[in-house]
Amino acid sequence: MSSHHINPHSLLAPSVRLLIERITRAGRPPMEALTAQQARAFYDMGGPMLDLQPPPKVDRVQDIRVPVRDGHTCQARLYAPHSDTALPVLLYFHGGGFTVGSLITHDVLCRQLSRHGHCAVVSLDYRLAPEHRFPTAQHDAWDALLWLKAQGAELGLDTRRIAVGGDSAGGTLAAVCALMARDAGISLALQLLFYPGCTGRSNLTSHHTFGKGFLLDTSTIEWFFDHYIDEANRDDWRFAPINAPDHSGVAPAWLGLAECDPLVDGGMAYADTLRMAGVPVDLEIYRGMIHGFATMGRALPDALRLHADAGRALKHAFENWTS
């Protein structure tokens, strides 16, 4: 029987199916029925309810401020285990379609990455659309990386060992920062990408297969994109990193993808693109999982496996790093 006759919902893990049923019963409004500001408040409040409670303990949690190019200062949060020596650091960009998401929604994930990776994590509160459209988020992300490289030692960080990471739209920001770092001659230990957005169009098979009823609908993706970017810019590689003219020489990549995710084909295509350019790539596909599962550790046990796998990849990259 050919695969296109399979009901895609049958691929879902039982835990995911249960979660989707619960959310459907609760009558959650689709994001596109809300204003961006309402959607943000909704996500800040509702998102953490699916995550680990209480949040895992980390020795050091410190709010910091990161200056960026136009005089604005971004909030950021530093997570770190106790250490007598300078710690390697992951600069993390949260997901949320460039429109929603915050330090709150990704607090647990950053704690987990710090614990499992035995490293510091700096989570950046970059500016969101529609108030700040493309390329503001990318500028904030890149400026934060330059700032961390220059100033991180004052925070007890080892600025020779830096990785970038993010989920969904944050994965886009991280992938683009990896390309920009290569062009600027900055060596990164790793790019850690959870179900990143790699293409500027919703036209891949997975967008159709998993485009409705899998928590991230294609209609929501388009709503995010419309808030963030003009149609004319959607093929710009700073939004769709797969369109970069050359991927050789970028940092090694670890990708964690969800099988039942409209973005999964784009993530796999990006992994292939990097491999073809000679970049070391580690690709994990989490069967039966959906977009966003990394921040649903309370509802989905597979999230904990993802945290451990990603942490191991970070630890390994930092231990074997020679810049």
Side-chain angles (χ1 to χ4, degrees):
M1 187 167 135
S2 68
S3 61
H4 61 255
H5 292 306
I6 294 172
N7 172 5
H9 282 90
S10 68
L11 299 170
L12 289 171
S15 57
V16 176
R17 204 170 301 145
L18 208 63
L19 175 64
I20 291 176
E21 280 167 17
R22 259 174 48 204
I23 289 171
T24 308
R25 271 205 310 275
R28 186 188 81 162
M31 282 212 183
E32 55 269 36
L34 306 171
T35 66
Q37 293 75 14
Q38 287 170 329
R40 248 173 245 162
F42 203 84
Y43 186 38
D44 276 1
M45 196 177 63
M49 287 160 70
L50 299 176
D51 223 329
L52 297 176
Q53 303 286 346
K57 189 171 165 7
V58 176
D59 297 321
R60 178 180 170 200
V61 179
Q62 180 184 349
D63 284 336
I64 56 178
R65 303 185 70 90
V66 179
V68 293
R69 67 186 65 184
D70 58 5
H72 177 75
T73 305
C74 290
Q75 299 281 359
R77 190 168 291 160
L78 168 68
Y79 303 85
H82 175 71
S83 175
D84 297 323
T85 55
L87 284 161
V89 57
L90 167 70
L91 176 59
Y92 195 83
F93 311 115
H94 67 75
F98 307 101
T99 309
V100 303
S102 65
L103 299 180
I104 298 167
T105 55
H106 288 64
D107 176 67
V108 169
L109 177 57
C110 290
R111 287 168 181 265
Q112 288 284 79
L113 292 173
S114 174
R115 290 173 70 233
H116 286 293
H118 299 284
C119 63
V121 175
V122 170
S123 178
L124 182 73
D125 212 3
Y126 56 90
R127 285 173 284 180
L128 298 174
E131 297 90 340
H132 303 281
R133 289 172 65 82
F134 173 83
T136 306
Q138 193 59 60
H139 285 166
D140 287 353
W142 175 244
D143 292 353
L145 179 58
L146 294 179
W147 176 85
L148 194 58
K149 188 88 186 137
Q151 308 295 328
E154 292 169 25
L155 293 165
L157 307 176
D158 177 357
T159 55
R160 288 171 309 113
R161 292 185 294 164
I162 297 179
V164 291
D167 58 294
S168 195
T172 309
L173 297 174
V176 173
C177 278
L179 288 156
M180 293 173 73
R182 172 205 61 190
D183 295 345
I186 297 171
S187 295
L188 298 174
L190 190 68
Q191 46 179 325
L192 185 80
L193 311 176
F194 301 113
Y195 34 81
C198 300
T199 65
R201 310 272 159 193
S202 304
N203 56 4
L204 301 173
T205 304
S206 59
H207 285 112
H208 302 297
T209 308
F210 304 111
K212 193 159 176 52
F214 294 84
L215 276 208
L216 176 67
D217 289 354
T218 309
S219 56
T220 310
I221 297 173
E222 292 300 315
W223 181 80
F224 285 143
F225 285 6
D226 290 345
H227 275 104
Y228 180 57
I229 195 164
D230 295 343
E231 173 62 33
N233 291 330
R234 277 173 65 162
D235 297 314
D236 188 312
W237 67 269
R238 294 170 303 162
F239 176 66
I242 201 161
N243 294 339
D246 174 23
H247 292 83
S248 61
V250 302
W254 184 92
L255 284 92
L257 307 180
E259 181 186 20
C260 303
D261 177 357
L263 302 193
V264 67
D265 286 0
M268 289 199 287
Y270 198 60
D272 287 344
T273 300
L274 292 175
R275 280 199 192 107
M276 297 282 283
V279 178
V281 174
D282 209 345
L283 172 65
E284 294 284 340
I285 298 174
Y286 294 83
R287 298 290 167 202
M289 288 298 112
I290 46 168
H291 193 82
F293 82 100
T295 51
M296 300 176 185
R298 187 179 178 185
L300 304 176
D302 288 73
L304 306 184
R305 189 159 64 87
L306 173 77
H307 301 163
D309 292 346
R312 201 177 306 116
L314 273 172
K315 192 166 176 288
H316 180 78
F318 286 138
E319 283 172 353
N320 295 285
W321 180 240
T322 48
S323 58

